[in-house]
Structure formats: structure tokens, C-alpha cells
Amino acid sequence: MRSASSTDALSVGVVGLGALMAVLPQTLVLPVIPIIARDVGATTGQAQWLLTSTLLAGAVAVPVISRFADLWGRRLMLQFTLVFLAVGSAVDALTDNLALMIVGRALAGVAAATVPLGISLLAATLPRERQASGMVIVSAMLGVGNTLGLPLAGLIGDRADYHVLYRIGFAGAVISVVLVSLVVREPRAAGQKDSKTPRSKVDLPGIVLLTAGLGGLILPLAQGAEWGWGSTRTLGTFATAVVLLVLLVVVELHTSSPLVNMRALAHPPVAITNVASAFVGFALFASFVGASTYVQAPTATGYGFNASVVTAGLTLLPSGLLMLLLAPVAARLIKRWGAAWVLCLAGMIIAVGLIERIAATAALWQVIAGTAIVGVGSGIAYAALPSLITAHSRPDELAAANGINSVARSLGSTLASAAGGSILAALTMNIDGTPVPSLTGYRTLFVICAAAAALAAAGGAVVARADARTRPQPDNSAPTAGAQRLPAADTPMQ
């Protein structure tokens, strides 16, 4: 019979595997989009919908499914998202039709909810002393999946049919569903305190408004370069999204069982943490994209290394490995210092890595070193962010709160993609008659990323100081769980 500690460790491993398999397909397709466009006879803009559809589906699915998890069961919704990943990957693995591939990618995008679901599930099932380390490992899979995806896709794209990438997603999703079903237990639905308490109702108006509003934000960010940033379509979609989200706030404030608890979302520690998440997502994504395209640039640019897609992906590998290896260290730091100060430290480390990228351009190892430093900071930040959200959220809203935090991070990454693409397209140089991004373009991007990381660090410091003013004196005989603690079920957010 397994001990409780080994069972908990196995649960963390299974949930972490599910998170990894959900994140991995999001980056696997990036290097092979031009190959798919060529094979199916589509333009690059049309093939780009393979990525856009995933972003859209993830943005709208994460908060909705996370709220359902609080109402109906977190393990159930985790299984649900992994099934969507399996179905979407199977569709893509079996077709050469671009429209069907886009549908498959959208179905797989629902699995973006896996990470916040896994974090909230472990928070509800693990003993208090193991919660931090469990959540840190699952959160680290965001960085690990992103960094492993690019070199793996490059290796397979160069040597095999790109459909193999979708088969990997399918196999991983099926294995994860089976393991979650066998190993992970389902806590009582947090939205139902006892068998006599009715479950909260589904907030259909909130679902419609949030889905349309987030879709209106993500779509022009993903397609703005093709539509034109100043076009009527882009600006009109943005304006419509703002109106819908404002209306969502009004509706949710007057709903007895809201999809998004606006009062909890406006609680300063939660609001600041979500903004910091967006900044971290921005800095990490732009840095990764900058590293990948940077080393592939021709040597004639004065900074590039004319590297292959595989080599470019491998430059990110140390970053992902460090994220995973430092997860236990991040958990210990959170217990000792508190998640807010750890977030502050993480933001400063990211900024240092980006400054190194600005200053050191002579050798490939310098690029790898700077990217690795950014990865270390990002891994620590990804550990601190869900810990902060969990500490400042009601137990019956943990999945929804982590879902919104995940959306904030995703919005930051999407904005980074749009801003980074625009900056690198605007600041160019000519190499044999072909415009390529200039070193000034990359440095400008890294300066903006470093500023975003510094703002995330400042957010962590603000939350830490606020917590220090409001936290009661600790009992030295009590176990320390970071400077934070989970609020009791009868302590609602105000």
C-alpha cells in the first residue's frame, strides 16, 4: 500500500504531465507553419490561423472551464480539457485540409485550461505543506513545454512528416487522461459546501460577454499585422471588445453567481498579481521569440549566426531545463520569503537576463546565457504567481481565480507577439536586397521586455509590503507556508 507522501508525489507527477502535454502542442506548430502552408497550398496568413485559432480557443475556454471546475469538479474538468486535446490532435493528425486542421487546433486550444485546473486541483487535494511544491512543478510546465516545443518541432520538421507532431499530442493526451483517472482524486466540488447546499447556477450572460470580449482582444492582436494596425477592422474589433468587457463588469456585479467575481478580481493583491502576470508573459514570450529569430539571422547582419531552426530551438533548451530544476528551490523560497517577494526577485532576474542580451552579442553562448537567465526568472515567477493568487482567493473560487491569472499571462504573451513583430518589422536593415530585423530592433524589444519585467518586480514588492501591514504576527510554533496562507472558507474576499 502506497504511503500518503508517495501518492501525493504521484498525483503531482500525473497532473504535471498533463500540463506539459497541454502546453507542448501550443509551440510545436510554430516552426512548421511555413511547411504546412506550402504543402496545403495556402498563404502564410491563412496558415497563421493554426496559431490564432488555438489562442482564441484558449482565451475563451480557460475562464469558463475554470469556473465550471469550481462548480462541478476540478478533476472532471481536467479530464475534459485533455479529451479535447486528444480529439483536436487526432483531427490534425489525420487530415491535410487546412480548414479541418484549424478546427483541430481550436479543439486542442481548450487544453490551455489544464495548467490553472491542475494548480487549483492540487491546492484542494494536497496537504498544506506540499501545496507550494506541487503548484510550482505544474506551473513550471508552462516554460518547459514552450522551450521543448521549438527544438522538438525543428527536429521532426526537418526529418519527418509534420503530422507526427500531432500524433505526439494525441498520445500524450490519451496517456494523461488515463493516468489522471487512475491516480488523481476528485475533491468535493468547491462550489457546493455540503450535500444539502445547491450548486451555483451557470452564468450564461457572463459566458457570452466574456467569450466575445476576450475574443475581440485576442483576434486583432493575432491578426493585426495582416489586417493593418490602423485599419477599421482592427480598431473596430478592439472597440467592440472594450464595450463588451465593460458590459461584462456591470452584469457580473449584479449576478448572484457570477462567472467572474469582479469584487475578488479588484482586490488589490489579486489585481496587481494579474497585471504582473501579463508583464511576465510579455517579457518571456518576446525574449523567446527574439532568441529564436535572432540566432537564425544571417551572419551578415553583424549579430546573427545563420542557425537552423533546430539550433535556434536548442538555444532555448537550457532555459526550460532550469525552470524545471529550480522548481523545488522556488517552492522553498516562497515558504521562506513569501510569494510576493519571490515575484519581485523573479522580475529582477528576468530584467538582468534581458540586459545581458542587449549588451552581449558577440557569441552564441552569450545568447544562450541571457536566455537562460530569463528562463530562471520566469520559472521563479511562474511559481510565485499561482501561489499569490491561491493565497488571496476564496477556496471555492480557486480554479476561476487561477484561470483569470492564466488569461492575463496569455494576453501578455499575445501582446508581446504583436508588439515584437511590429518592432522587428519597423526597424530593419537590407541584406542582399532583403529586409531583416536590425540589432537596434532587437535591442528595442529587449528594453521594452526588461521594463515589463521591472514592473512585475515592482508589483511583487507592492503586494509584499501590503501583506506585511495586514498580516497578523505569526505563531512561531505554527508551520510556515510562505508569508501567505489560504483564506478560510468563511473569509470571503471583500
Side-chain angles (χ1 to χ4, degrees), residues 78-399:
L78 180 60
Q79 293 167 312
F80 177 80
T81 58
L82 290 171
V83 167
F84 262 73
L85 175 60
V87 172
S89 299
V91 169
D92 288 331
L94 296 172
T95 185
D96 291 315
N97 182 281
L98 181 62
L100 286 177
M101 282 188 194
I102 291 171
V103 171
R105 290 288 297 170
L107 292 172
V110 174
T114 299
V115 172
L117 287 174
I119 290 170
S120 62
L121 177 59
L122 294 179
T125 56
L126 291 180
R128 183 187 180 95
E129 65 273 12
R130 297 193 182 99
Q131 287 176 2
S133 58
M135 291 190 295
V136 164
I137 289 173
V138 173
S139 187
M141 293 305 164
L142 281 166
V144 175
N146 285 330
T147 53
L148 288 179
L150 292 176
L152 181 60
L155 284 169
I156 294 175
D158 282 351
R159 294 168 172 79
D161 183 357
Y162 61 82
H163 288 86
V164 172
L165 299 173
Y166 298 128
R167 293 169 195 153
I168 292 173
F170 173 77
V174 171
I175 292 171
S176 296
V177 169
V178 172
L179 290 177
V180 168
S181 303
L182 294 175
V183 174
V184 182
R185 62 188 176 91
E186 175 75 273
R188 184 178 61 197
Q192 186 176 17
K193 293 180 172 125
D194 55 57
S195 59
K196 296 181 180 179
T197 304
R199 297 181 190 268
S200 301
K201 296 179 180 178
V202 175
D203 177 17
L204 289 177
I207 291 174
V208 172
L209 289 171
L210 183 65
T211 298
L214 287 177
L217 285 181
I218 295 290
L219 186 58
L221 284 175
Q223 296 295 117
E226 185 167 332
W227 291 355
W229 292 109
S231 68
T232 302
R233 188 193 310 188
T234 299
L235 298 178
T237 306
F238 271 132
T240 302
V242 170
V243 171
L244 290 172
L245 292 175
V246 170
L247 183 59
L248 171 70
V249 173
V250 174
V251 170
E252 298 299 86
L253 287 173
H254 295 85
T255 300
S256 58
S257 179
L259 174 68
V260 181
N261 186 336
M262 292 297 172
R263 291 181 176 85
L265 199 61
H267 187 51
V270 175
I272 293 171
T273 301
N274 285 330
V275 172
S277 293
F279 285 136
V280 171
F282 184 101
L284 178 62
F285 189 87
S287 171
F288 278 5
V289 170
S292 178
T293 57
Y294 186 103
V295 300
Q296 292 180 73
T299 53
T301 59
Y303 64 83
F305 299 93
N306 200 29
S308 66
V309 174
V310 176
T311 301
L314 289 175
T315 62
L316 303 175
L317 191 58
S319 176
L321 294 176
L322 285 171
M323 285 186 188
L324 183 59
L325 293 174
L326 290 176
V329 177
R332 286 196 291 270
L333 289 176
I334 290 170
K335 289 181 180 180
R336 178 172 295 183
W337 297 347
W341 282 121
V342 172
L343 175 60
C344 181
L345 172 66
M348 291 188 290
I349 292 174
I350 295 171
V352 168
L354 290 162
I355 291 170
E356 192 273 353
R357 290 295 317 279
I358 295 169
T361 61
L364 183 59
W365 71 263
Q366 294 173 330
V367 175
I368 296 173
T371 305
I373 295 171
V374 172
V376 169
S378 300
I380 295 174
Y382 281 169
L385 291 167
S387 296
L388 274 172
I389 291 296
T390 298
H392 291 283
S393 300
R394 284 173 25 173
D396 61 334
E397 294 181 348
L398 282 182

Side-chain angles (χ1 to χ4, degrees), residues 17-43:
L17 175 64
L20 176 63
M21 297 316 304
V23 173
L24 198 58
Q26 296 179 30
T27 52
L28 279 177
V29 75
L30 283 174
V32 297
I33 284 179
I35 298 174
I36 295 174
R38 184 190 65 223
D39 286 358
V40 303
T43 66

